[in-house]
Amino acid sequence: MSVHVVILAAGQGSRMKSSLPKVLHTLAGKPLLHHVIDSATALDANGLHIVVGHGAELVRNSLATTPVHWALQEQQLGTGHAVAQAMAEVPDDVSVLILYGDVPLIATQTLKALLADVDTTTLALLTVALDNPTGYGRIVRNAAGLVERIVEQKDASEAEQRIKEINTGIMAVSSNKLKQWLPRLSNTNAQGEYYLTDIIAMAVSEGMAVKVTQPRCEEEVMGVNNRQQLAHLERWFQKCQAERLMAEGATIIDPARLDIRGEVSVGRDVFIDVNAVFSGKVQLGNGVTIGPNCVITDTSIGDGTEIKACSVIEGAILGSNTSIGPFARIRPGTHVHDEAKIGNFVETKKSVIGKGSKISHLSYVGDAELGVDVNIGAGTITCNYDGVNKFNTVIGDK
């Protein structure tokens, strides 16, 4: 069966204490909702449906170039009501995967395992066991261990509240069945909402099998309801990124003081000191050293290059065995060739620095082309703006 993904992103997120829709708060430099979309996109789904409500226009604008079917939930009447708003655009005879815009770290691998279980006679459910399940819907199983229903915390008996296995909300089910069940949901419960979870009991009553998949860790299915939870997931995500880089050959002095907000690739024997921040696409060659407190964005760094403390680099290409910093500002369009040196309190912008050339301290080189073995003394600037146009400054070899 083909797959359509429905992502619920209508909530206000009042506990965030923010005017920004909750799903647009960022984790690792990217909105929560965009993380979910990335996981869904990797499934090669046939359709992506996003249910919006609070801050709908802001959410739409954040995905202006993404092909999406939008659905509006004007009143927040529960998860079942939210899914119902999207179903008009979902075709018959497909599998529907239901995700949440505030559960950002769900892995594509987990979703593939979930979808492998769904068909016209089976509903696939993602659950997880928690030491402290307070606040979550509990998975109620029968004597044979089969899922019977889900009971929400506020509606659970004392015995049911002791159940550790909880509902993540993520499930996959036939669109035909969803279209039958959603109109039959009732809001006769402690919260006066239409619970999507009530379809589990409907499925069981019709003799459908409910198959359960579990994620590799609970952080995959943790939602963000406040800034404390957002900070927890941020650090867990960064820990995973640091472990990946170390496995690929990087020494990271303190993984708790590293932030990756994009894609970072490393060669062997890379050394990263504390408080490094990487954004966008960053490539570090073999033997690269990153000093403390550096911020590096969309940059390629060649083998053996050293980035000294407190340097800020953006949109640059740095060759092999170069030296940058400390306190250097390398702006977009800078290309530093092999064995060149950019020293302390030097700023470059849209310039080519030739092989072996040196700008050792307290200079600005912008819109310039330096040849091989050029030496720029302290306090030098390239002045090439006449008030209307900018012109290149060209300095020859040696």
Side-chain angles (χ1 to χ4, degrees):
M1 295 173 71
S2 62
V3 176
H4 281 244
V5 179
V6 175
I7 302 175
L8 306 189
Q12 180 175 356
S14 56
R15 281 177 281 176
M16 298 295 285
K17 300 289 192 288
S18 174
S19 58
L20 189 69
K22 178 170 65 172
V23 297
L24 294 186
H25 283 262
T26 58
L27 185 151
K30 183 165 63 177
L32 301 177
L33 177 59
H34 294 203
H35 283 275
V36 184
I37 289 171
D38 286 348
S39 294
T41 301
L43 298 170
D44 295 323
N46 303 88
L48 180 61
H49 308 259
I50 301 179
V51 182
V52 291
H54 176 75
E57 197 61 31
L58 289 174
V59 177
R60 287 192 183 101
N61 289 343
S62 81
L63 293 165
T65 61
T66 303
V68 169
H69 298 282
W70 295 101
L72 180 64
Q73 186 187 27
E74 293 184 3
Q75 293 178 283
Q76 273 68 67
L77 301 177
T79 51
H81 178 258
V83 174
Q85 308 314 301
M87 292 308 294
E89 295 290 332
V90 176
D92 296 336
D93 303 316
V94 301
S95 294
V96 178
L97 174 63
I98 297 167
L99 302 176
Y100 297 81
D102 61 354
V103 181
L105 299 183
I106 184 65
T108 299
Q109 183 178 354
T110 299
L111 297 179
K112 286 180 177 178
L114 186 73
L115 286 167
D117 284 338
V118 70
D119 58 32
T120 56
T121 62
T122 304
L123 183 150
L125 184 65
L126 191 67
T127 74
V128 67
L130 299 179
D131 291 334
N132 179 11
T134 302
Y136 294 97
R138 309 303 204 278
I139 304 298
V140 180
R141 295 176 179 263
N142 62 19
L146 300 176
V147 175
E148 277 192 336
R149 59 192 173 90
I150 298 173
V151 59
E152 297 298 328
Q153 168 88 24
K154 292 183 179 180
D155 302 301
S157 67
E158 188 174 331
E160 289 167 341
Q161 288 189 22
R162 289 195 292 270
I163 296 171
K164 301 290 188 182
E165 185 183 14
I166 63 100
N167 170 45
T168 67
I170 295 171
M171 65 178 73
V173 62
S174 153
S175 62
N176 294 357
K177 290 296 184 181
L178 265 183
K179 290 177 180 181
Q180 292 173 25
W181 294 333
L182 289 174
R184 291 162 47 193
L185 292 176
S186 167
N187 66 346
T188 307
N189 50 58
Q191 297 191 106
E193 294 183 350
Y194 297 93
Y195 296 150
L196 179 65
T197 49
D198 287 348
I199 72 170
I200 304 300
M202 294 179 184
V204 171
S205 70
E206 294 183 14
M208 285 188 73
V210 177
K211 290 190 177 181
V212 169
T213 298
Q214 294 205 329
R216 61 190 174 92
C217 61
E218 65 183 74
E219 280 83 3
E220 257 195 71
V221 293
M222 289 180 74
V224 173
N225 294 303
N226 56 46
R227 294 179 192 262
Q228 292 88 338
Q229 291 173 336
L230 179 61
H232 173 81
L233 286 186
E234 177 77 45
R235 291 329 310 161
W236 182 82
F237 178 85
Q238 296 300 342
K239 174 176 174 286
C240 293
Q241 296 299 299
E243 288 175 351
R244 176 182 64 82
L245 295 187
M246 288 187 287
E248 292 174 1
T251 293
I252 298 174
I253 288 298
D254 185 355
R257 288 186 284 173
L258 169 72
D259 283 272
I260 296 175
R261 302 167 187 170
E263 303 174 29
V264 177
S265 62
V266 296
R268 294 188 175 186
D269 300 313
V270 167
F271 178 92
I272 301 174
D273 213 324
V274 299
N275 299 329
V277 178
F278 299 102
S279 299
K281 189 171 184 178
V282 176
Q283 297 172 296
L284 307 180
N286 297 324
V288 167
T289 297
I290 306 295
N293 308 311
C294 290
V295 180
I296 301 174
T297 303
D298 291 321
T299 291
S300 172
I301 301 178
D303 296 348
T305 285
E306 181 179 10
I307 311 299
K308 296 181 181 179
C310 303
S311 294
V312 179
I313 303 171
E314 179 183 2
I317 299 172
L318 309 181
S320 299
N321 302 310
T322 64
S323 175
I324 308 293
F327 296 97
R329 174 75 169 96
I330 309 300
R331 291 170 57 192
T334 297
H335 184 178
V336 180
H337 284 273
D338 298 350
E339 301 170 20
K341 177 183 177 182
I342 307 292
N344 49 287
F345 302 104
V346 170
E347 180 177 355
T348 66
K349 188 268 292 182
K350 202 175 179 182
S351 293
V352 176
I353 314 301
K355 181 178 179 180
S357 290
K358 297 177 181 178
I359 314 172
S360 294
H361 35 221
L362 298 163
S363 294
Y364 169 75
V365 175
D367 299 282
E369 183 177 337
L370 277 59
V372 174
D373 293 328
V374 172
N375 184 54
I376 300 289
T380 300
I381 66 170
T382 55
C383 252
N384 41 25
Y385 180 55
D386 65 3
V388 178
N389 299 303
K390 288 187 178 180
F391 302 88
N392 268 2
T393 296
V394 178
I395 301 174
D397 295 348
K398 302 185 179 181

